Amino acid sequence: MHTHFFKSLTLVLLFPLLLFAQEAELIQYKSDMMAYMALDQKYPTPTAVQKKQKDSLMHRMEQSFLAFVRHKDSHQKAKLKGNLALQNRGITYIEQGRYFYDDPIERQQQDIHLMFYGVYDYKRPDFVSMYIQLFPLEKETYAIYYRKLNGKGTYYLKAITSNTILFSSEAFTPERPILALHPLDAQHLLLIESMHRQGHRALVLKKGKAKWQSLSAFVGKTWTNPTEPITKTSPMTFQSQRQYLYIAGNENLINSYEFRPLLFFDPKTKTLSYSLNAAGKKATASWKNQRFTLDDFYLGHYKDDKPMPRL
């Protein structure tokens, strides 16, 4: 009888831990993130010792975020939405629709926006937050987890079935990082990233047994001096292998709240395209020999890129 009692008591004590495991990891990430931010803002030009401290806190923050990502239930809306334990810790759940898609199926998808209420994102006029995006493809659903601070961060791509992180990359947006994920063939996928006001870019991922890799799958012209501001007259150079296809913009061309595709993919013909002018003329390329042949493009060629008037 005593043995049965203790077994029952153990199950009762362990049940909340099993149910709320992903909560604990998310709360730990918030704590580690706030500790890093406090030190980073305290020492904007750190000494060698202070930099070592900041690097240590950054590593701890990354590891706590990965612990949340690796939890098998971390993508489940039902376990995040209306969660009082998270709300009591200032973590707010918001769903954001993909209103920017023409495809009615894609428009039904809701991305998860977790906001850390009261924690301002450095000097930005909004709170620190993170995103979870789900992309159900034919044979697998993939989740994108994006942690960001001060307008940039890192996203991780995870396969839901195996609960495995397959790919990660730096991102340059305070908003959702991924616009689309499309299969190209049995071994390759097309990923389209948002770079906020700087435009959109595409890359091709090759599947691997453990990790996926980004290929140099684009052929065509790119800017000769990519670190300089891009204008209509920026010189371009042909490259036979590029990692990204880049549709470039700036704050005068892309509204901060605009989240509309600049790159278009036809899954039937495996064709990638973008607009060359306001009339809708397009540059197009088909997926052939594991390549897309397309030049990078600056939106200012057909949109007004003059600075906005200042009051």
Side-chain angles (χ1 to χ4, degrees):
M1 179 176 179
H2 291 293
T3 302
H4 177 73
F5 170 77
F6 283 115
K7 284 182 177 179
S8 300
L9 180 61
T10 301
L11 287 172
V12 169
L13 292 173
L14 284 175
F15 182 72
L17 296 177
L18 294 172
L19 181 63
F20 301 127
Q22 75 275 24
E23 292 175 6
E25 288 149 356
L26 189 56
I27 291 167
Q28 184 62 50
Y29 166 66
K30 179 185 177 183
S31 175
D32 292 341
M33 175 263 296
M34 291 178 67
Y36 169 79
M37 285 182 65
L39 193 67
D40 190 37
Q41 293 179 94
K42 184 177 180 180
Y43 302 119
T45 53
T47 63
V49 173
Q50 293 164 351
K51 185 179 184 306
K52 189 174 181 180
Q53 291 175 324
K54 285 171 64 172
D55 289 346
S56 176
L57 288 178
M58 170 62 84
H59 177 74
R60 192 169 76 182
M61 177 181 70
E62 289 175 340
Q63 292 307 305
S64 62
F65 185 76
L66 284 171
F68 171 72
V69 172
R70 290 188 177 111
H71 193 282
K72 64 182 180 62
D73 294 330
S74 58
H75 68 285
Q76 293 193 12
K77 296 178 181 181
K79 294 181 181 294
L80 297 169
K81 187 176 183 178
N83 189 310
L84 293 178
L86 296 179
Q87 291 176 14
N88 290 337
R89 296 298 185 101
I91 302 174
T92 304
Y93 175 98
I94 303 168
E95 288 187 0
Q96 292 183 229
R98 296 181 190 170
Y99 52 84
F100 45 85
Y101 272 97
D102 292 328
D103 187 332
I105 296 176
E106 285 285 358
R107 286 174 69 92
Q108 294 175 11
Q109 294 295 327
Q110 297 285 325
D111 296 324
I112 300 170
H113 185 194
L114 296 175
M115 184 171 64
F116 302 102
Y117 186 81
V119 183
Y120 280 97
D121 192 354
Y122 289 79
K123 295 183 179 181
R124 297 183 59 82
D126 42 36
F127 298 136
V128 175
S129 64
M130 57 173 281
Y131 285 95
I132 304 172
Q133 298 177 272
L134 298 178
F135 292 91
L137 302 185
E138 187 176 344
K139 295 182 179 180
E140 176 65 272
T141 294
Y142 298 101
I144 298 288
Y145 296 81
Y146 180 43
R147 65 159 189 84
K148 60 189 178 63
L149 286 174
N150 207 16
K152 62 180 181 179
T154 302
Y155 69 83
Y156 300 87
L157 186 154
K158 184 178 84 168
I160 296 300
T161 302
S162 62
N163 195 38
T164 303
I165 297 173
L166 301 169
F167 179 76
S168 65
S169 179
E170 190 174 13
F172 305 92
T173 176
E175 307 291 341
R176 290 167 279 186
I178 303 303
L179 287 150
L181 181 65
H182 298 289
L184 293 169
D185 54 40
Q187 293 299 317
H188 300 89
L189 293 98
L190 177 72
L191 190 67
I192 300 178
E193 301 177 343
S194 169
M195 299 178 70
H196 197 43
R197 293 182 176 181
Q198 301 307 308
H200 297 166
R201 69 181 185 182
L203 63 153
V204 172
L205 300 179
K206 182 179 180 180
K207 296 180 181 179
K209 290 184 178 180
K211 297 292 183 181
W212 294 2
Q213 65 181 88
S214 175
L215 299 182
S216 295
F218 296 97
V219 180
K221 294 179 182 179
T222 189
W223 291 281
T224 307
N225 303 308
T227 58
E228 296 181 359
I230 296 169
T231 67
K232 296 182 184 73
T233 58
S234 296
M236 301 188 79
T237 304
F238 177 84
Q239 289 187 4
S240 59
Q241 293 183 324
R242 306 190 334 266
Q243 187 176 4
Y244 299 105
L245 171 65
Y246 183 25
I247 306 302
N250 55 46
E251 62 181 8
N252 302 319
L253 289 162
I254 300 176
N255 185 284
S256 60
Y257 296 100
E258 187 177 357
F259 200 65
R260 302 181 186 280
L262 302 173
L263 286 161
F264 307 92
F265 181 74
D266 186 332
K268 294 180 181 179
T269 61
K270 306 298 181 184
T271 299
L272 184 61
S273 65
Y274 57 80
S275 295
L276 290 168
N277 57 35
K281 181 181 178 182
K282 286 185 167 54
T284 64
S286 297
W287 176 245
K288 186 176 181 181
N289 298 325
Q290 300 184 10
R291 293 285 187 274
F292 286 109
T293 302
L294 274 174
D295 296 339
D296 289 346
F297 185 73
Y298 173 57
L299 290 172
H301 284 302
Y302 72 92
K303 290 189 175 186
D304 186 2
D305 61 354
K306 295 184 181 67
M308 295 289 287
R310 305 290 181 181
L311 296 176

